[in-house]
Amino acid sequence: MSVRVLLVDDQPLVRAGLRVLIADAPDIDVVGEAGTGAEAVRLAREVVPDVVLMDLRMPGMDGIQATRAITAHGGVTRVLVLTTFDDDAHVHAALRAGASGFLVKDMALDDILGAVRVVAAGDALIAPGVTRRLIAEFARRPAPAAPTRALDGVTEREREVLTLVGRGLSNGEIAAELVISAATAKAHVARLFSKLGARDRVHLVIVAYEAGLVSPAG
């Protein structure tokens, strides 16, 4: 089945360019376009796309506010931010608002299309340079004196896995660190998604920090 995408950008030429480029991808269909955040929220509820390609700076309701509104009630629609602004403040705000990915517009088309597929499949994807900065930022911050996120129902092993996810390790790296199989590591991560109500791996990084599991040394 095709991935259904909603394009959101206040510049018509940008939307038109993306539509033309996506037209060559046989497994991705554009099901709507929006030029404002408010219009994006309305269309997301009407057409229920798999992925919203979301710009950040728009008049009125911006991309951060629109992302928060679209993801607030769960559902299948995921938001993939596509913007020219990749500073840390925008990255953190977008992820906390519920975005499952963060890309910059100068990325290659194939990488953008690949990210759409990854996010539609339920995973998260962030531009590599942005990912490194994000993990580094969480690692630099002192752990909260009083954790702001409870980990009720999480086992000790799952806490270990969550800590390693918070440090940016992949399932394979977690398996090597804990001397378990990759399949077991993947199962632990899946249970963390369920127990913590996390949208994706990026959300788990945020949860790990808020729970005080990520130390200043990473």
Side-chain angles (χ1 to χ4, degrees):
M1 296 180 62
S2 295
V3 177
R4 304 170 72 253
V5 175
L6 173 63
L7 303 178
V8 183
D9 198 295
D10 64 339
Q11 298 183 40
L13 285 177
V14 172
R15 298 199 308 273
L18 286 171
R19 179 183 281 275
V20 169
L21 294 172
I22 289 174
D24 291 331
D27 60 334
I28 302 177
D29 293 326
V30 176
V31 296
E33 297 181 21
T36 67
E39 187 178 9
V41 173
R42 178 181 63 79
L43 282 175
R45 291 171 179 167
E46 289 181 5
V47 304
V48 193
D50 298 305
V51 177
V52 178
L53 267 179
M54 179 76 73
D55 189 25
L56 288 185
R57 292 198 176 180
M58 294 179 288
M61 177 184 284
D62 63 20
I64 300 296
Q65 296 169 311
T67 295
R68 186 176 297 110
I70 290 170
T71 62
H73 304 295
V76 299
T77 299
R78 291 175 174 267
V79 176
L80 177 57
V81 171
L82 180 61
T83 180
T84 56
F85 306 98
D86 70 339
D87 59 274
D88 291 347
H90 283 105
V91 175
H92 296 163
L95 297 179
R96 290 185 183 280
S100 294
F102 194 103
L103 306 178
V104 289
K105 289 180 178 177
D106 61 359
M107 291 180 67
L109 172 63
D110 286 347
D111 292 337
I112 294 174
L113 296 180
V116 169
R117 297 181 183 104
V118 167
V119 169
D123 210 335
L125 193 147
I126 307 179
V130 176
T131 301
R132 288 190 292 270
R133 294 207 319 269
L134 174 68
I135 299 299
E137 171 64 18
F138 279 119
R140 280 197 301 268
R141 296 180 183 181
T148 59
R149 179 71 177 239
L151 297 179
D152 297 336
V154 174
T155 67
E156 186 60 33
R157 175 60 93 184
E158 289 165 351
R159 287 175 67 93
E160 292 176 332
V161 171
L162 181 59
T163 300
L164 296 177
V165 171
R167 286 170 45 193
L169 274 65
S170 67
N171 287 350
E173 292 168 334
I174 291 171
E177 181 82 12
L178 299 179
V179 195
I180 57 178
S181 70
T184 299
K186 182 177 181 180
H188 282 310
V189 172
R191 283 195 289 271
L192 286 169
F193 285 146
S194 177
K195 290 184 177 182
L196 299 175
R199 295 177 300 275
D200 46 51
R201 205 175 188 88
V202 174
H203 193 189
L204 285 182
V205 173
I206 295 174
V207 171
Y209 169 72
E210 292 181 339
L213 299 181
V214 179
S215 70

